[in-house]
Amino acid sequence: MTHTADKRTATDPSPHGASGTFPDGFLWGTAFAANQVEGGFDQDGKGLSQADVIPFRKTGDYVDITSLMKATDAQIAEAIASPGAAGYPKRSASDFYNRWEGDVKLFAELGMKSLRMSIAWSRIFPNGDDAAPNEEGLLFYERLFTRLRERGIEPVVTMSHYEMPLHLVTEYGGWSNRAVVGFFETYAKTILTRYRGLVRYWLTFNEINTTLIEPYTGGGIIEREPADGVDPRQAGYQALHHQFVASALATKAAREIAPDAQVGCMLARMAHYPATSAPADIVRAQWDNNMNLFHTDVQVRGRYSGTVRRFWRDTGIQVAMEPGDEALLAANTVDFISFSYYMSLVSSVSPELYGATGGNLFSTIKNPHLQTTEWGWHLDPEGLRYVLNDLWDRYQVPLFIVENGLGATDVLEGTGADRAVHDEYRIDYFRQHLQQVREAIEDGVDLLGYTSWGGLDIVSASTSQMTKRYGVIYVDFDDEGAGSGDRIRKDSFHWYRELIASNGATLEALPATGA
Ligand code: BGP
């Protein structure tokens, strides 16, 4: 009896071609971060934040962008001495802080069901260790959340999105200092209490895995030479543990203070494909995926995985934990997983292949089957279906796509009321990714919503560029912060508005004109 391959699996491609609408109550929306959209960096009592010292550095090299996300002591001192916003794009950003009422009107016109946004910690506790919160800061977000709810828009709020008071960075060492856990817990309890009933979806840390990739942006750790003989990654893992503890304490506080609210973790899902079918590459890709997913393992399963514990043994990294830490993590896991997805990556046991193209937060091997964006990021809509199924199968908790979008050099055409941006490429990006989201829902994934990254054009996290535009609404500022600041609806705005109104039924429709 000769063995014959199962003919079904050999010739039958994975099912595709799902059609129809999305689940009732699907939370369509857009997303941005306080430090990239608000501006008003020194208004109404706000303190300097870690983002306010990142200068704009025009660079054509987008393969390794983490160099743009670090801050040295000298850079911070220079920034503190620099008054005003010139040279520091995140200090003025899209001026949402002063234009929010008009922007919320546009969000309502778009028909958004949710707005994923973040609170600037430095508006609430300007120094982080203040004895009392800044009432002006609390009031700003209270008014904003109230207006969003009046417009039928559900706030989905990140407590810390690459933003913490600069004082905690310079005087305490950022998240490397366990004392910051207590300051964050006070901050979390303050906003959970003040916004009880206004906010029903909380995320603790944006892309918590960034702390290992870019310790300054993710963990407020100033770029310095590591002590002799200490693995430079040691500080990142220690800071990350403190953030896991802080996230668990915030989750615990939410259960007590705002029981009607749900708490989610937030991961930059870095899906790794093997460069070849060689078993060594398969195992390497599995390792890389598990080193990304150990973050959600901690926040969803409540414990560190075998993979990361082996990594610590193999590298000699020692993470200091206090008695009770592991019980705290186990007892305070999240209700849902939110994540960002922009592209997929490639893993190989051949190190010379790395560094060939860019990506969100780090460079990777070029995938010969995929095109890339102007910034070198792989364009991989099917990867989103893979990621959704993989996360659902691993955790069986509801998922929420809180970042997905295309950074591109948009061109503003026309003058006055005729100004327009014909961004069919962005509509294509959304359409192809949402078709795969629809497939994943058909596959059985429980997905709460989808908030496209940007909404408005905002300052990019890695390169601090306004001209790396993500929004469905154009913002008339350039990289130096010059311009009218006017908001102009792009073609993608009209297309997305119809898509939301039809709950996804018009996904294959051509871009709407400026109707
Ligand atoms: C994610 C961040 C966002 C956003 C996005 C796009 O890592 O959570 O803040 O910026 O990436 O990246 P960039 O702005 O660098 O193009």
Side-chain angles (χ1 to χ4, degrees):
M1 173 69 175
T2 55
H3 174 73
T4 54
D6 175 340
K7 289 196 176 10
R8 281 182 304 108
T9 51
T11 57
D12 178 13
S14 64
H16 58 277
S19 60
T21 58
F22 285 63
D24 290 345
F26 191 70
L27 290 173
W28 296 99
T30 66
F32 51 48
N35 84 83
Q36 295 171 253
V37 76
E38 287 183 2
F41 80 104
D42 58 355
Q43 283 182 246
D44 300 336
K46 175 183 172 294
L48 272 180
S49 81
Q50 91 198 81
D52 294 329
V53 302
I54 298 292
F56 174 64
R57 288 178 294 229
K58 205 168 188 64
T59 169
D61 170 19
Y62 298 126
V63 172
D64 177 12
I65 56 176
T66 55
S67 59
L68 301 174
M69 301 169 84
K70 300 181 187 309
T72 62
D73 291 295
Q75 180 187 318
I76 290 171
E78 183 181 347
I80 290 171
S82 304
Y88 297 91
K90 291 170 183 173
R91 294 185 178 185
S92 52
S94 309
D95 196 31
F96 176 77
Y97 185 74
N98 297 299
R99 299 168 187 251
W100 69 271
E101 294 190 88
D103 290 337
V104 169
K105 279 189 188 140
L106 280 170
F107 297 158
E109 181 188 333
L110 186 59
M112 286 169 30
K113 310 299 183 192
S114 68
L115 173 65
R116 187 248 167 162
M117 54 170 284
S118 67
I119 292 173
W121 183 354
S122 55
R123 282 198 196 286
I124 311 303
F125 288 93
N127 299 294
D129 60 2
D130 315 78
N134 171 34
E135 177 57 26
E136 292 274 5
L138 287 169
L139 208 49
F140 169 68
Y141 294 107
E142 184 173 36
R143 289 181 183 136
L144 173 55
F145 297 147
T146 302
R147 182 71 53 82
L148 287 169
R149 297 208 75 84
E150 287 167 355
R151 300 276 187 158
I153 300 173
E154 188 74 51
V156 178
V157 183
T158 313
M159 294 180 177
S160 180
H161 189 137
Y162 296 163
E163 192 272 349
M164 69 192 294
L166 185 65
H167 181 73
L168 295 183
V169 172
T170 55
E171 303 312 310
Y172 292 85
W175 281 100
S176 61
N177 188 328
R178 177 97 186 197
V180 174
V181 173
F183 297 135
F184 182 84
E185 186 181 18
T186 300
Y187 161 60
K189 287 180 173 176
T190 302
I191 57 178
L192 284 163
T193 304
R194 182 65 175 256
Y195 306 127
R196 182 172 36 217
L198 289 174
V199 177
R200 298 190 306 178
Y201 293 90
W202 287 102
L203 312 181
T204 52
F205 291 93
N206 177 68
E207 297 191 330
I208 199 165
N209 50 308
T210 301
T211 300
L212 296 180
I213 303 164
E214 189 18 73
Y216 178 77
T217 295
I221 297 174
I222 296 171
E223 184 69 12
R224 292 174 181 146
E225 282 305 311
D228 290 344
V230 175
D231 187 315
R233 295 167 293 190
Q234 168 77 34
Y237 278 95
Q238 188 63 60
L240 177 63
H241 178 68
H242 292 155
Q243 288 177 315
F244 281 140
V245 169
S247 182
L249 288 168
T251 304
K252 181 171 183 290
R255 304 280 191 264
E256 294 154 3
I257 296 168
D260 67 323
Q262 295 185 60
V263 180
C265 59
M266 200 288 190
L267 175 77
R269 179 62 181 108
M270 305 291 188
H272 286 77
Y273 299 163
T276 70
S277 54
D281 281 347
I282 308 290
V283 170
R284 174 61 200 259
Q286 183 180 50
W287 174 270
D288 290 342
N289 279 309
N290 281 334
M291 284 302 283
N292 180 229
L293 293 170
F294 89 79
H295 301 83
T296 31
D297 289 344
V298 171
Q299 294 185 289
V300 181
R301 291 172 166 168
R303 61 186 183 278
Y304 284 102
S305 66
T307 300
V308 71
R309 289 182 185 278
R310 173 170 183 169
F311 179 77
W312 292 342
R313 290 196 303 274
D314 289 355
T315 55
I317 285 172
Q318 303 276 335
V319 174
M321 299 189 196
E322 290 188 2
D325 280 2
E326 294 191 280
L328 181 81
L329 297 179
N332 297 284
T333 54
V334 295
D335 301 301
F336 65 94
I337 296 171
S338 72
F339 65 98
S340 62
Y341 175 86
Y342 291 94
M343 83 270 133
S344 57
L345 302 163
V346 179
S347 295
S348 167
V349 291
S350 307
E352 70 279 1
L353 297 178
Y354 281 84
T357 194
N360 184 25
L361 299 170
F362 56 111
S363 62
T364 184
I365 299 169
K366 179 71 181 69
N367 184 327
H369 305 285
L370 297 175
Q371 303 298 314
T372 57
T373 69
E374 295 169 70
W375 275 262
W377 296 17
H378 285 134
L379 288 160
D380 182 10
E382 281 192 279
L384 183 49
R385 177 184 183 180
Y386 163 75
V387 160
L388 282 163
N389 275 294
D390 186 59
L391 285 170
W392 174 247
D393 291 347
R394 187 174 179 119
Y395 298 111
Q396 293 281 299
V397 298
L399 308 178
F400 203 142
I401 302 168
V402 295
E403 290 185 29
N404 175 246
L406 176 67
T409 310
D410 294 346
V411 175
L412 181 62
E413 299 180 23
T415 56
D418 298 330
R419 287 173 296 178
V421 176
H422 303 302
D423 57 338
E424 278 61 39
Y425 44 87
R426 182 167 289 108
I427 293 170
D428 286 341
Y429 180 97
F430 285 143
R431 176 186 294 116
Q432 293 173 41
H433 283 78
L434 285 165
Q435 283 171 334
Q436 297 303 322
V437 169
R438 189 171 58 188
E439 296 289 355
I441 292 169
E442 187 69 21
D443 295 338
V445 169
D446 179 356
L447 185 63
L448 294 170
Y450 172 92
T451 54
S452 67
W453 182 246
L456 296 172
D457 288 343
I458 60 179
V459 176
S460 73
S462 53
T463 58
S464 289
Q465 292 175 281
M466 178 58 86
T467 50
K468 184 178 186 185
R469 298 179 183 277
Y470 279 94
V472 296
I473 299 165
Y474 185 93
V475 171
D476 184 25
F477 284 133
D478 63 18
D479 285 336
E480 279 72 41
S484 67
D486 289 353
R487 273 66 166 144
I488 296 107
R489 300 166 187 80
K490 302 180 189 177
D491 289 0
S492 54
F493 177 97
H494 304 295
W495 178 83
Y496 197 31
R497 186 188 64 230
E498 289 188 13
L499 184 75
I500 296 171
S502 69
N503 196 27
T506 60
L507 189 50
E508 275 71 28
L510 294 176
T513 56

